[in-house]
Amino acid sequence: MFTTRPTLQGTFGMVSSTHWLASQSAMAVLEDGGNAYDAAVAAGFVLHVVEPHLNGPAGEVPMILAPKDGDVRVLCGQGPAPAGASAAHYRSLGLDLVPGTGPLAAAVPGAFDAWMLLLRDHGTKTLAEVLRYAIGYAEDGHAPVERVGETVETVRELFETEWPTSAEVYLPGGKAPEPGTLFRNPALAATWRRLTAEAEEAGGEDRSAQIDAARAIWRTGFIAEALVRQAAVPTMDTSGTRHTGTLTAADLADWSASYEAPATYEWNGWTLAKAAGWSQGPAFLQQLALLPAELPAYGSADYVHLLIEGCKLAMADREAWYGDAADVPLETLLSAPYNAERRPLIKDTASLELRPGSPDGRTPLLSEHAHAVAAGEAGFDAMGIPAAGAGEPTVAKDGATRGDTCHLDIVDRWGNMIAATPSGGWLQSNPVVPELGFPLGTRLQMAWLDEGLPNTLTPGRRPRTTLTPSLALRDGVPVMAFGTPGGDQQDQWQLHFFLAVALRGRVRGGLDLQGAIDAPNWHNDSFPGSFFPRGMRPGSVTVEERMDAGVVEELRRRGHDVTVGEPWSEGRMCAVARDPETGVLSAAANPRGMQGYAVGR
C-alpha cells in the first residue's frame, strides 16, 4: 500500500510529534541515555519555542503514560479556574461568554508543573539537560514554520495597538517571523537560564530537589510574580473591552499537577485509555460504545455515516454531562444498556438535532448559549472564524482561536510509553509577559457562565478541555500511544485513525500506523464548539477531497451538509507503538501541514 512515508520500525526508541525539531530533540535525549519521559519533557519545551502559536509554558498539557511494568496513569496538567473566577463575577462584567483572549480567560497555568512532575517522578535527566534544547532554539534561533508568521500577521494590528509586549517579541523591527530566517526569543531563553540557575542553587546536587525547586520558583518565585503582574494589566480581549484577570499569587502557590486513573473502555480485544470527564476524552470511548457488533465496510458511505452520527450523540452527551464542576456519570454513559438505548437513534439520514441522553434517568442540562446555537439563533461564524483545517489554529484578528494544539508520542527501548497534548498559552492568547517571553493562556473560555452545569465556570475546578491524548492496550499490555491537535475534532480524527489501525491490514508484521494516518479523514461541527464564540453547524461534515466521490454523493443524499476541503486538510495525527511479543517499536507522523515528523531506530 502506498503511503506518504514509511511506518518506522526499530528497537531502540521511537518519537512522533507535530514538529521535526521537537521530534529530533527527543531522539537526542534517547540517544544520550534518557528514557521516554526525559525525551518528552525536552520535546515539550522545544514545542513552546517552535510552535508558539499552538502552545506555551503557561498553557496546559494532559498526558497519559504507561511506565514499564507500571500502571497506566493520566498526568493532569490542566490548571483550574482561579479563586476569583466565578460565573457570577463574569456575569457582573456584562459577559455572556468567557472571552476568547485576555487575562479573564486565563486558568491557573498547568503545563510547566506537569512537565516537571513527569521529569521528577519518571525521568532520569536533570533540569538543565532537558531544557538545553529549548534554550538553544530560543537563544540562537530557529527557522520558523509558515504558520507562525501567518498567525502573527493576522493579529498584527492587535499587537501594534494594544499588546506592545507581544509586538516586541513577534514583530521585531516590524517584521513577522519568516521561513528561512532565524527567529529568536531571548527573553524566554533568559527565563529558563535563570530558572535553572536558581533551581540548581536551591537543590544542590540532588536531581529531584532541583526539579522541586524549579516548581517552587514557578509557583512562588520570579515567574509567579511576573504572571500575577501581567494578569492585573487591563487588556483588550474578544469582548472589545479591556479587562483585568483573576489570577493571584495564592492561585499559583496552591496548585500542582497530579496523577489520576484513566477512563477506559474495552472494544474487540483492545482497551482504550483516556483522561476522565473533565476532558472530552470519554467522547472517544462513547463513540466506540455506540458501534454495532458488525460494522459496515471500512470507508463506505454506510461506515462514514455511522461514525458521523455516533459522534453527534457522544458530543451531545459531552455538552450535557462532562465537566469538573459535577460528577460525570461515566459508568452509565459507557454501559451496554445505555448505548443499546442510544444506538437506534442513528437513522439512515443525517440528524440536525443536539440530542443528549438521560443517564440514570437524569434530565440533561444545556447552557442557554448551547440551546441558542442548536436552534440556529446564534451563528457559527459570529466572529468571522472559518472552519479549522489540518489541526492548525484558525485565528481571528482579535486573537480568537479555534483548533490549536501540539502533540507528541514516545516509546523507548525499555517499553516506557507516553502520549501528551500540549496546548494553550499561545502567542495570540494574551500579551507576552515582558520579563518571561511567553503569555498566559485562555482555557477558561471552555467553561460556561450559566450556573449549575457540569462545566460552569467554578473557582478551583478545571474547565472542560478538548485536549485528549490516547493510549491503547491489548490484553492489558500497552501497545500504542497516539493523538492529534485540532480542538473539538481531536476525538473524531483519533477514532477514525484507531479504527483504521484496528480494521485494516498490517505492514511489515506490525500495525500500519502511517497508512491509518494517511487515510482520508473528516469531521463534523454538529455540536456547540468549545472555543469562543461557541457556535455549531447542524448537519455539517467537512471531508478531504481524496474521499471517494461516490461516498460524498451518498452522504449528501442522506442529508449531510458536506464541504469538500483540500486533499490533505483533516487531522494531524501522531502515533508510536510497541509489539509486546517481539519488542519491535513503530512510529508514524502526519504529512498534513508539512511539519510533523517521526524519528527512531
Side-chain angles (χ1 to χ4, degrees):
M1 178 187 300
F2 174 80
T3 57
T4 59
R5 308 167 180 182
T7 295
L8 306 183
Q9 291 188 324
T11 57
F12 180 81
M14 290 285 162
V15 180
S16 179
S17 88
T18 50
H19 197 290
W20 64 85
L21 290 179
S23 293
Q24 190 53 51
S25 297
M27 195 66 201
V29 173
L30 295 181
E31 296 283 5
D32 193 42
N35 65 19
Y37 307 117
D38 297 311
V41 178
F45 280 86
V46 169
L47 287 173
H48 297 159
V49 180
V50 300
E51 292 193 309
H53 61 308
L54 297 172
N55 78 138
E60 41 276 328
V61 56
M63 312 177 200
I64 188 160
L65 51 146
K68 182 183 183 298
D69 301 325
D71 294 332
V72 174
R73 301 291 285 172
V74 169
L75 176 48
C76 174
Q78 173 59 65
S86 67
H89 171 60
Y90 286 51
R91 288 281 188 182
S92 74
L93 299 174
L95 299 171
D96 296 322
L97 293 173
V98 177
T101 61
L104 271 182
V108 177
F112 179 86
D113 197 61
W115 289 123
M116 290 297 100
L117 201 62
L118 179 70
L119 182 65
R120 187 196 70 183
D121 296 346
H122 298 281
T124 65
K125 295 291 188 180
T126 66
L127 183 66
E129 287 172 324
V130 296
L131 284 184
R132 68 187 182 95
Y133 304 91
I135 292 172
Y137 287 125
E139 196 167 62
D140 301 327
H142 69 282
V145 294
E146 288 82 354
R147 285 291 297 172
V148 176
E150 291 169 1
T151 300
V152 172
E153 286 294 354
T154 301
V155 293
R156 172 185 284 272
E157 182 179 355
L158 176 68
F159 280 14
E160 290 179 336
T161 61
E162 294 285 346
W163 296 7
T165 58
S166 296
E168 289 176 15
V169 175
Y170 290 104
L171 287 167
K175 295 185 64 176
E178 295 180 354
T181 65
L182 288 179
F183 175 71
R184 298 174 173 86
N185 187 342
L188 178 59
T191 295
W192 297 145
R193 285 197 180 281
R194 178 178 173 184
L195 173 84
T196 302
E198 291 188 10
E200 288 176 344
E201 182 178 359
E205 298 297 320
D206 186 280
R207 188 187 76 92
S208 294
Q210 288 181 13
I211 296 168
D212 280 336
R215 298 174 70 204
I217 293 164
W218 177 277
R219 293 202 297 258
T220 62
F222 78 93
I223 293 177
E225 292 168 0
L227 292 173
V228 171
R229 278 196 301 272
Q230 186 63 47
V233 176
T235 301
M236 180 64 71
D237 58 37
T238 53
S239 72
T241 302
R242 295 180 184 87
H243 290 112
T244 57
T246 59
L247 185 69
T248 67
D251 294 318
L252 284 164
D254 293 344
W255 183 83
S256 65
S258 59
Y259 298 97
E260 58 187 58
T264 60
Y265 185 75
E266 307 286 333
W267 185 83
N268 284 11
W270 294 84
T271 301
L272 282 304
K274 303 286 284 186
W278 54 269
S279 77
Q280 75 170 10
F284 178 104
L285 308 181
Q286 282 197 253
Q287 290 176 82
L288 285 176
L290 281 163
L291 294 176
E294 296 293 329
L295 293 178
Y298 175 85
S300 66
D302 286 340
Y303 177 85
V304 176
H305 172 79
L306 174 69
L307 296 190
I308 292 169
E309 294 302 300
C311 175
K312 292 177 184 178
L313 294 176
M315 297 302 260
D317 275 346
R318 181 196 77 163
E319 195 53 50
W321 300 109
Y322 293 15
D324 198 32
D327 291 326
V328 181
L330 267 188
E331 183 176 351
T332 300
L333 292 172
L334 295 174
S335 69
Y338 179 79
N339 286 284
E341 178 184 322
R342 297 277 278 166
R343 203 171 291 120
L345 294 175
I346 299 176
K347 306 295 186 183
D348 289 336
T349 56
S351 168
L352 304 181
E353 301 176 74
L354 187 66
R355 299 178 293 175
S358 300
D360 305 319
R362 295 159 58 183
T363 301
L365 296 175
L366 298 174
S367 68
E368 292 179 8
H369 186 82
H371 280 296
V373 295
E377 297 167 6
F380 187 85
D381 290 321
M383 297 301 295
I385 306 175
E392 289 283 13
T394 308
V395 181
K397 290 184 177 181
D398 60 3
T401 301
R402 195 168 69 225
D404 64 285
T405 309
C406 309
H407 188 81
L408 64 87
D409 301 303
I410 303 176
V411 59
D412 63 27
R413 63 189 183 274
W414 301 286
N416 298 302
M417 191 177 293
I418 184 171
T421 310
S423 185
W426 47 79
L427 66 87
Q428 64 275 19
S429 64
N430 259 294
V432 165
V433 184
E435 305 95 321
L436 303 178
F438 61 84
L440 287 164
T442 55
R443 192 59 56 172
L444 293 186
Q445 67 179 291
M446 298 188 168
W448 294 112
L449 298 183
D450 307 60
E451 297 289 355
L453 301 176
N455 192 31
T456 295
L457 181 64
T458 306
R461 296 289 184 172
R462 294 166 289 190
R464 187 191 69 216
T465 181
T466 54
L467 308 176
T468 173
S470 301
L471 199 137
L473 303 88
R474 295 282 286 182
D475 301 320
V477 180
V479 169
M480 182 168 63
F482 58 100
T484 180
D488 293 305
Q489 293 103 307
Q490 288 180 38
D491 279 315
Q492 301 183 59
W493 294 334
Q494 289 187 66
L495 178 75
H496 308 160
F497 161 82
F498 168 72
L499 291 176
V501 169
L503 299 175
R504 302 195 331 167
R506 297 166 70 82
V507 60
R508 299 194 184 110
L511 301 174
D512 184 12
L513 302 183
Q514 194 63 52
I517 288 174
D518 287 354
N521 218 323
W522 68 91
H523 81 273
N524 83 87
D525 294 301
S526 294
F527 48 87
S530 297
F531 294 88
F532 184 90
R534 313 296 300 269
M536 66 179 283
R537 291 191 295 162
S540 73
V541 179
T542 302
V543 306
E544 290 183 318
E545 186 181 65
R546 297 179 297 124
M547 182 175 282
D548 182 86
V551 172
V552 173
E553 182 180 354
E554 175 61 15
L555 291 175
R556 285 173 172 158
R557 191 192 67 78
R558 296 186 185 201
H560 297 281
D561 179 11
V562 181
T563 298
V564 178
E566 295 295 318
W568 297 90
S569 56
E570 288 288 311
R572 260 179 83 203
M573 290 293 309
C574 300
V576 299
R578 179 180 184 274
D579 186 323
E581 295 183 3
T582 66
V584 172
L585 311 179
S586 303
N590 174 55
R592 301 163 179 88
M594 297 179 66
Q595 65 186 68
Y597 230 78
V599 294
R601 67 172 179 90

